[in-house]
Amino acid sequence: MTLTGKTAVITGASAGIGAATAQRLAQSGAQVLLVARRQDRLDALARDIGAKATTLALDLSAPEAAQAMLDAAVERLGRIDILVNNAGILRTSHVDAFDLAELEPLIAINYTAVVRASMLFARVMKAQGSGQIVNISSIGASLTAAGTGVYGGLKAALERFTDVLRIELAGSGVRVGLVAPGTTTTEIFGDMKAKGQPGWDEFIPPLAPDDIARAVAFMCEQSGNANAARIHIYATAESF
Ligand code: NDP
């Protein structure tokens, strides 16, 4: 129970890695605010976690969402120790087939929303002299492969932003880090599968959401002068 007395905001908590992370952080003692759009899913997870959980249904692609999330967190939790920017979507396609209508939502959720939340929460954490921001990247951030230019490019940009945020907050008491998951079975491959493509999790034995959640918890449990700033979790059969 190393996170007893701490509070955590987890985005994308209605499914996959976010839901598993919320469970893990709550098991470690943290009070958790679960954020995503699907209220019914958030309610089910909150019931499962118990008194340590509260929910906020929010579309993070809206420009005002990050401030609304911060306001709700301060009001409900009192203080903010941990922010996990996990919500994200995956759209992959070759240049011939990429649906350009998907471009702005992808940028809004996978990059802009994370930057907005990181900056707003960082200011509060810096003022209180402590905090932990975890941004969920992907091993795809450092992979150059056909079809992944937009998704991987945004994750690469997110990694640069996260590293610079860590540097800007050095010595403030605020830890910043990124966790880069490998192929993990979640709903994120639903769009691919709906389009008749095989999901990436069908090619190798994939990771489970809790494999990533344990890495996030490890990052949040650092103490003293340690900051576990970058964690990559590959599936054992991942071969790139
Ligand atoms: P899931 O599809 O299972 O979950 C995505 C979560 O993001 C859901 O809770 C969804 O909730 C939320 N979300 C999506 N859009 C919005 C939005 N506009 N506003 C608020 N919440 C939103 O995906 P994963 O758990 O796999 O993905 C989590 C993170 O892990 C992502 O950042 C992804 O890029 C990263 N990742 C995943 C990998 C994998 O193999 N699964 C590999 C590498 C990285 P709701 O629909 O209710 O809003």
Side-chain angles (χ1 to χ4, degrees):
M1 300 290 275
T2 44
L3 298 179
T4 298
K6 305 264 187 195
T7 64
V9 177
I10 301 112
T11 72
S14 63
I17 292 167
T21 297
Q23 295 266 23
R24 272 278 157 197
L25 298 185
Q27 278 164 20
S28 287
Q31 195 78 28
V32 290
L33 176 61
L34 315 173
V35 184
R37 289 167 302 181
R38 287 171 290 179
Q39 183 74 65
D40 56 333
R41 292 281 201 103
L42 296 175
D43 287 344
L45 181 60
R47 275 195 301 276
D48 205 27
I49 291 174
K52 284 196 167 64
T54 173
T55 68
L56 177 67
L58 204 58
D59 183 346
L60 288 163
S61 65
E64 62 281 4
Q67 184 65 54
M69 185 166 70
L70 176 63
D71 293 345
V74 170
E75 189 191 315
R76 307 239 204 115
L77 305 174
R79 56 178 281 123
I80 306 144
D81 298 305
I82 298 165
L83 169 66
V84 183
N85 282 309
N86 162 80
I89 57 173
L90 174 67
R91 299 288 183 268
T92 59
S93 261
H94 192 272
V95 59
D96 297 330
F98 193 93
D99 179 359
L100 285 169
E102 306 266 34
L103 183 59
E104 294 304 329
L106 204 50
I107 296 170
I109 298 155
N110 289 17
Y111 186 75
T112 310
V114 182
V115 171
R116 282 184 194 278
S118 296
M119 286 188 172
L120 293 174
F121 278 66
R123 291 171 192 165
V124 172
M125 289 175 176
K126 187 175 177 184
Q128 73 190 13
S130 67
Q132 169 79 61
I133 295 174
V134 182
N135 288 340
I136 303 298
S137 178
S138 166
I139 61 169
S142 42
L143 192 69
T144 306
T148 67
V150 177
Y151 177 80
L154 289 170
K155 290 295 190 183
L158 183 59
E159 292 206 356
R160 177 64 61 86
F161 168 78
T162 303
D163 284 335
V164 171
L165 187 64
R166 175 180 59 76
I167 289 163
E168 289 183 355
L169 293 174
S172 71
V174 184
R175 294 182 176 83
V176 180
L178 62 91
V179 172
T183 307
T184 309
T185 290
T186 68
E187 295 169 16
I188 206 165
F189 301 113
D191 178 72
M192 260 179 187
K193 291 174 183 174
K195 289 174 178 158
Q197 301 160 8
W200 290 339
D201 59 338
E202 293 173 53
F203 295 112
I204 55 163
L207 294 154
D210 187 58
D211 294 323
I212 313 305
R214 291 200 310 278
V216 176
F218 174 82
M219 188 171 274
C220 295
E221 286 164 357
Q222 296 304 303
S223 59
N225 291 328
N227 177 17
R230 277 179 166 255
I231 303 179
H232 286 65
I233 309 287
Y234 287 81
T236 50
E238 224 127 28
S239 59
F240 45 79

